Amino acid sequence: MMLHQDQLDDIERCALVAELMVLRLTERHLHAGPAAAPFLDVLVERALVEARRPLKRKRSTPVDTHLQAVTNSAEAYVEEDRDSLDAVTLTAAERFLKAAKSEVQGFTCTACGHGSLLQCSASMPIGNVPVARCLHELAVLCDWAIRLASDLYKRSLPLQHAIAPPRIVLSTIRGSSGRNRLVVDLGCSARCKLDGLQSKSFDAVVELVLDVGNLNVETMSALLYVFLHEVTVHAYQRIGAPKRETSHLDNFAEGWMDYVAEQLLRAAWFGSPVPPGVPVEWRKSNEPGLRLCEARRDVAGVKIGYEAAWRVFTALSSCAGPSESGLDLFHQLSCGLNVRQIDVNDRNSLVTRLAMQLPVDGETPVASSQPAWRVVANFAINKDIDAFLRDVLNL
């Protein structure tokens, strides 16, 4: 279950939707080769300048009117240089314009009630929840992440420990992305919060922070990963252990469980059916999202948590029986640990001990003789998470 609460003002929303359209069309239509690249790069840059114009003039217009203005500006630029363009460049530019016109023609805006999406008569449903037409694709991505995480926990937790999927409020706001404490400039970030809930019918707020006016093609491919991390790691964590707060110092959440989110991301990119309403551009280029996962590993707390998760996954894959895969066992262990109320010091100790003491094949002559390996092997047999936690902390 998901509800979308838009906290962007009319000016920010207008610029955001236009930015997303230009970037989406860039991914779809502008791979025409090096000869056409100089003109096409300028075309996109001019379109983005026009898309962001409401932020500079501090005046909003209906979103559909603004999208038309962006398209008209791009078309005027192409017409100015039409006679000097070679056939390949002109064909690519015209494809871009044709797609932009098609989007504008199918986009009819009505009064949005000053940010209240429930009053938008041009809304499109996700399940039974109405979402404004202009931000529908963002909400669809979050809903996809919720369903991917829900499927993971449903198949990974035993029936007696099953929990209902989180009921999430997706909140869209404008702000600096903070670069996610990384060198990768995404133009977006997210956080999972309990405060700000207006109803006990919901469990958490996933606050999507968009650096409107500074989005880029990296933003598009990073968003699914950003949603997956917040839902898989933090939303379920808060359902299972609502009194436990997490921080960037939580090596298990930010490292180990982030590795689980990365596994879901790879499955979504390379095999999961695309839900209706998700433009192909959101998953056409998976490299930025996966590059973000890799870049996060250089953050100290993430690195050791990732190392521990990888070692446990590798060990479980080696000792899994014929009826279960190492991946299934790893997900059972990870999800079970994530929803338990475990002191953050114990969680960090678990991560550190496994990262330092669990060998994988090739690192020692007989890896299976090591105490940490035997703890993991015992879990593969008895599926006892409490015993696993106790035994690791006693290593």
Side-chain angles (χ1 to χ4, degrees), residues 2 124-127 129 131 133 135-145 147-148 224 272-283:
M2 184 194 71
M124 301 174 67
I126 296 180
V129 178
V131 176
R133 164 69 176 84
L135 296 177
H136 184 260
E137 60 190 285
L138 294 179
V140 167
L141 274 179
C142 186
D143 183 67
W144 188 14
R147 287 190 283 121
L148 289 171
L224 181 58
S272 176
V274 183
V278 176
V280 67
E281 291 74 33
W282 290 104
R283 57 174 288 171

Side-chain angles (χ1 to χ4, degrees), residues 112-131:
C112 66
H114 302 289
S116 173
L117 300 186
L118 298 180
Q119 297 180 38
C120 174
S121 58
S123 63
M124 301 174 67
I126 296 180
N128 296 322
V129 178
V131 176

Side-chain angles (χ1 to χ4, degrees), residues 3-14 16 112-118 131-132 134-135 138 169-175 191 193 195-198 204-210 212:
L3 177 67
H4 186 193
Q5 291 181 343
D6 181 23
Q7 298 187 55
L8 301 167
D9 63 31
D10 293 346
I11 296 173
E12 294 165 345
R13 188 184 312 110
C14 191
L16 169 66
C112 66
H114 302 289
S116 173
L117 300 186
L118 298 180
V131 176
C134 60
L135 296 177
L138 294 179
V169 176
L170 170 61
S171 175
T172 43
I173 68 171
R174 183 189 182 192
R191 50 183 175 256
K193 309 190 305 180
D195 58 320
L197 285 175
Q198 298 178 353
V205 174
V206 172
E207 189 172 74
L208 176 63
V209 183
L210 294 159
V212 181

Side-chain angles (χ1 to χ4, degrees), residues 79-196:
E79 290 301 322
E80 288 174 8
D81 288 358
R82 175 178 290 273
D83 293 340
S84 63
L85 298 178
D86 61 77
V88 173
T89 302
L90 182 59
T91 298
E94 288 182 335
R95 283 202 307 265
F96 179 90
L97 294 176
K98 182 179 179 180
K101 291 176 181 179
S102 177
E103 289 217 8
V104 173
Q105 289 172 357
F107 199 113
T108 302
C109 222
T110 57
C112 66
H114 302 289
S116 173
L117 300 186
L118 298 180
Q119 297 180 38
C120 174
S121 58
S123 63
M124 301 174 67
I126 296 180
N128 296 322
V129 178
V131 176
R133 164 69 176 84
C134 60
L135 296 177
H136 184 260
E137 60 190 285
L138 294 179
V140 167
L141 274 179
C142 186
D143 183 67
W144 188 14
I146 292 171
R147 287 190 283 121
L148 289 171
S150 174
D151 290 345
L152 170 71
Y153 279 86
K154 184 176 180 179
R155 66 176 180 265
S156 299
L157 295 179
L159 186 61
Q160 65 270 28
H161 294 299
I163 57 178
R167 300 157 299 178
I168 288 175
V169 176
L170 170 61
S171 175
T172 43
I173 68 171
R174 183 189 182 192
S176 171
S177 66
R179 302 173 71 87
N180 289 271
R181 297 180 286 121
L182 304 172
V183 297
V184 181
D185 184 9
L186 300 175
C188 68
S189 62
R191 50 183 175 256
C192 189
K193 309 190 305 180
L194 286 179
D195 58 320

